[in-house]
Amino acid sequence: MNILTEEITQQVTETAKQFTAQYIKPYVMQWDESQEFPAHVLHEMGKLGLMGVLVPEEYGGSGLSYSEYKAIIEEISKVCGSIGLSYAAHNSLCTGHILAFGNEEQKNKYLPKLSSGEWIGAWGLTEPNTGSDAGNMKCTATKKGSDWILNGTKSWITHGKSGNVAVVIARTGEARTKNNATAFVVERGTPGFSGGKKENKLGMRASETAEMIFDNCIIPDENRLGKVGDGFKQSMKVLDGGRISIASLSLGIAKGAFEAAAKYSKERYQFDQPIANFQGISFKLADMATEIDAADLLTLRACELKNNHQPVTREAAMAKYYASEVAVRVANEAVQIFGGNGYTKEFPVEKFYRDAKLCTIGEGTSEIQKIVIARETLMKF
C-alpha cells in the first residue's frame, strides 16, 4: 500500500471512529432492544461523505477505494453490527449496482442522492422460496409497451420498508433458463410498491430487514439497469463487492468482541490474579488474535484486487467465508471468557455473539461460498 493511500485510510478510519463514538455507541442497546432502525444516523453519515464512499466525485461521492470502505465498516461494526450491516447494504448493493451498471442518466439521477445520505438504498434479490436458488425466482417483470409490470415479493431485504429507492432483480424469462432476470430501479412511492413484514431477528436488530411487495407495479423502461436478461449476471458481480463488505463487517464484530474480551481478562481477578494469566484464557486469546489477523489479510487481498479492477470472485468468497466463521468463533469465545457476565446484556459480548451469526448467512451462506471457491479454484486445473 502506498503512503498516500495509507494516510487517507487512517484519516477515514479516525473519522469513522469519532462518528461512531458520538452518534452510535450511546444508543446501541436502546436500538437493539426496540428494534429501531435509526435512519437519521445514515443521513448524518452522508454529511461526512461516507454514504457514497466508493462513488466518484462527479456523482457526488467521495471517490475512495475499498481499503477505506473496509476500514469504515470495521470501525462501525466494532461498536454496532446492525449499523455496519445497513451501511454496507446501502453502499455495496444498491449504490454499487447503480454505479456499476447504470447509464449516465441513471447515475446522475440516483447516485448524488444516495451518496449524500438524502436517500437510503435497498437491494432485492432474495425471495421467500428462492434464497440461493435465485434462478427460480417468482417475482416477475412483464413488458407492456414502454413499461414493465412488476409482481411478486422480495424478502430479507435490508431497508425493505424504509429505503427510498431499491434495485430489484425480477424474472423476465422462463424459470431456470439462462439470462432470465433483469434489474430495475424502483423508487419508494411508486404505485404498487410497498413494504411488507419486518423480521423479528436474533441479532442485527437495529438494521431493518423486511419484505418488498410489488403488486402490478408499473416501471418505465428507462429504470431498467443494463440489458434485459443481465440481472443475475450483474448481481453476481455486485455480490463480489458485497462479500468484501460482509468480510469487513465480520472483522469489525470479531475485533470488537476480541478487544472487549482481552480488556476484561486483565480486569477480572480470580485466585488473586487476572484471568489473562491463566493458560486456558490466554490460549483462547491467542487463537482469536491469530484467526482475526488471517481473516484481515484475506480481506485486504480482496480489497487490493477490487481496487485494481482484477477478478475477485474467488478471493472475495474466501474472505467472506473465513471472516464470517471467525466472527462467530471469536464472539463465542468472548462470551466464554466473560463467563456469566457474558450472558447478560450489561456487557457487550452477548450482542456481538448474536450479531455475528448473520455474517455466515447474508450475501451467500458459508456453504455457497465453498461452492464458489471450489468452482473458481478448479477452473485453474
Side-chain angles (χ1 to χ4, degrees):
M1 181 180 291
N2 63 54
I3 294 174
L4 178 60
T5 301
E6 193 169 308
E7 287 181 355
I8 293 172
T9 302
Q10 289 174 352
Q11 291 170 4
V12 169
T13 300
E14 187 58 33
T15 297
K17 187 175 183 178
Q18 291 176 6
F19 179 90
T20 301
Q22 179 178 352
Y23 289 96
I24 300 175
K25 190 172 184 178
Y27 313 103
V28 168
M29 292 312 297
Q30 174 187 322
W31 295 336
D32 185 75
E33 292 285 344
S34 66
Q35 297 196 67
E36 173 189 354
F37 168 52
H40 68 278
V41 173
L42 271 64
H43 295 316
E44 290 294 330
M45 284 186 192
K47 296 177 183 178
L48 292 176
L50 300 180
M51 293 296 278
V53 65
L54 299 171
V55 176
E57 293 181 13
E58 63 190 282
Y59 302 118
S62 299
L64 299 177
S65 75
Y66 268 79
S67 303
E68 290 78 44
Y69 182 44
K70 168 185 178 291
I72 295 167
I73 296 175
E74 279 188 39
E75 285 303 319
I76 295 170
S77 305
K78 281 181 184 178
V79 174
C80 183
S82 294
I83 307 303
L85 175 62
S86 280
Y87 176 77
H90 169 92
N91 278 280
S92 289
L93 301 181
C94 180
T95 305
H97 199 137
I98 295 171
L99 177 62
F101 298 104
N103 56 38
E104 284 303 306
E105 183 179 348
Q106 291 165 338
K107 290 178 183 178
N108 283 305
K109 181 177 182 180
Y110 295 111
L111 292 179
K113 291 183 177 181
L114 289 164
S115 298
S116 68
E118 178 185 349
W119 280 10
I120 294 173
W123 191 75
L125 177 65
T126 302
E127 298 183 4
N129 295 308
T130 55
S132 301
D133 185 18
N136 194 33
M137 67 177 67
K138 300 295 188 292
C139 182
T140 60
T142 305
K143 189 74 182 294
K144 186 175 182 180
S146 60
D147 296 326
W148 294 86
I149 303 175
L150 272 64
N151 280 290
T153 300
K154 294 294 180 179
S155 61
W156 292 99
I157 309 304
T158 304
H159 313 143
K161 293 171 75 74
S162 297
N164 303 96
V165 65
V167 172
V168 181
I169 296 85
R171 183 162 57 81
T172 50
E174 295 299 317
R176 299 198 186 286
T177 58
K178 192 175 181 180
N179 302 326
N180 71 344
T182 304
F184 301 89
V185 181
V186 187
E187 295 179 32
R188 186 70 61 182
T190 303
F193 173 31
S194 61
K197 174 189 174 186
K198 180 182 176 180
E199 302 295 341
N200 183 7
K201 299 173 297 185
L202 168 72
M204 303 291 196
R205 288 165 62 84
S207 178
E208 178 188 273
T209 304
E211 293 177 327
M212 295 193 301
I213 299 171
F214 302 93
D215 183 7
N216 291 318
C217 180
I218 300 174
I219 303 298
D221 189 58
E222 65 191 42
N223 282 34
R224 171 173 47 84
L225 287 167
K227 297 179 181 178
V228 174
D230 277 358
F232 186 73
K233 290 189 290 187
Q234 292 175 6
S235 297
M236 294 303 99
K237 292 178 181 179
V238 169
L239 284 172
D240 281 345
R243 286 165 181 166
I244 294 174
S245 74
I246 298 299
S248 304
L249 172 66
S250 303
L251 275 170
I253 292 171
K255 289 179 180 181
F258 173 77
E259 289 172 10
K263 183 180 179 182
Y264 182 82
S265 73
K266 298 179 75 173
E267 296 173 346
R268 172 70 170 174
Y269 272 65
Q270 291 287 277
F271 305 101
D272 302 317
Q273 59 184 309
I275 62 173
N277 288 354
F278 298 114
Q279 192 176 82
I281 300 299
S282 65
F283 278 18
K284 286 182 186 296
L285 292 167
D287 286 338
M288 293 157 75
T290 302
E291 290 196 317
I292 288 171
D293 273 13
D296 209 343
L297 290 169
L298 282 172
T299 308
L300 285 169
R301 179 180 68 169
C303 286
E304 190 70 13
L305 290 171
K306 189 71 173 172
N307 289 340
N308 292 320
H309 309 289
Q310 295 178 312
V312 73
T313 298
R314 175 177 174 271
E315 289 76 12
M318 282 183 169
K320 193 271 184 188
Y321 164 56
Y322 188 72
S324 65
E325 294 291 341
V326 165
V328 171
R329 289 195 292 270
V330 168
N332 179 64
E333 291 289 44
V335 172
Q336 196 70 17
I337 289 170
F338 270 77
N341 287 332
Y343 205 65
T344 72
K345 293 183 181 292
E346 294 180 20
F347 293 84
V349 290
E350 66 85 29
K351 184 176 184 296
F352 288 125
Y353 183 74
R354 289 185 289 109
D355 286 349
K357 187 57 191 171
L358 184 277
C359 298
T360 69
I361 299 170
E363 297 196 30
T365 63
S366 291
E367 291 73 21
I368 288 294
Q369 304 312 313
K370 289 181 183 180
I371 291 172
V372 173
I373 294 164
R375 181 189 67 217
E376 295 292 319
T377 299
L378 291 171
M379 284 174 61
K380 299 180 180 181
F381 296 91

